[in-house]
Amino acid sequence: MATAGEQATAPAFAGTAGEQTMTQRFGAFLRAPAARGIFLMLGAAAIIGIMVGIWMWGQKPEYRVLFTNFSDKDGGAIVASLQQMNVPYQFAEGGNAILVPEKQVHDVRLRLAAQGL
């Protein structure tokens, strides 16, 4: 027990008057003008990133029908020629049509016709 002349001292725990807690430090950081600028720049960067992502997603080429109802032999020759010309292609569901990017349909069709396909 403490006598009249002695003062009882409490053990020092984290969060006492001399120390700041993490939330207090973060709150003080958020109130600083520099922090507002940082968060404004981060927000602007996030918005720009989302806009670029949407734009890139919208840039996927539309595929159109190049040929339909072809024999397996002709289909193999067409695919081989497309690979040789480095033209991207897809098969329609069921595999009964070959699709190429919309902007290349007419050019590819003429080039394949020149090859006799």
Side-chain angles (χ1 to χ4, degrees), residues 3 27-28 31 33-34 40 46 55-56 63 69 74 76 98 103 113 115:
T3 60
R31 287 188 293 275
L40 182 63
W55 178 75
M56 289 179 71
Y63 280 77
N69 300 323
D74 289 339
I98 296 176
K103 294 179 180 180
Q115 294 177 10

Side-chain angles (χ1 to χ4, degrees), residues 64-113:
R64 299 288 181 227
V65 175
L66 179 66
F67 290 113
T68 59
N69 300 323
F70 45 83
S71 68
D72 290 340
K73 180 182 174 187
D74 289 339
I78 292 169
V79 167
S81 293
L82 291 174
Q83 288 173 343
Q84 202 171 38
M85 292 186 285
N86 292 325
V87 175
Y89 64 92
Q90 295 177 347
F91 293 104
E93 293 204 21
N96 60 353
I98 296 176
L99 311 172
V100 295
E102 180 179 31
K103 294 179 180 180
Q104 296 178 323
V105 170
H106 301 296
D107 181 50
V108 171
R109 196 173 286 156
L110 290 174
R111 289 166 67 186
L112 289 175

Side-chain angles (χ1 to χ4, degrees), residues 17-57:
E19 299 177 13
Q20 291 182 338
T21 64
M22 197 64 141
T23 37
Q24 290 171 335
R25 288 180 186 176
F26 187 68
F29 174 73
L30 290 178
R31 287 188 293 275
R36 289 183 185 153
I38 289 171
F39 281 115
L40 182 63
M41 285 188 275
L42 287 174
I47 290 171
I48 290 171
I50 290 170
M51 290 173 62
V52 166
I54 290 171
W55 178 75
M56 289 179 71
W57 178 68

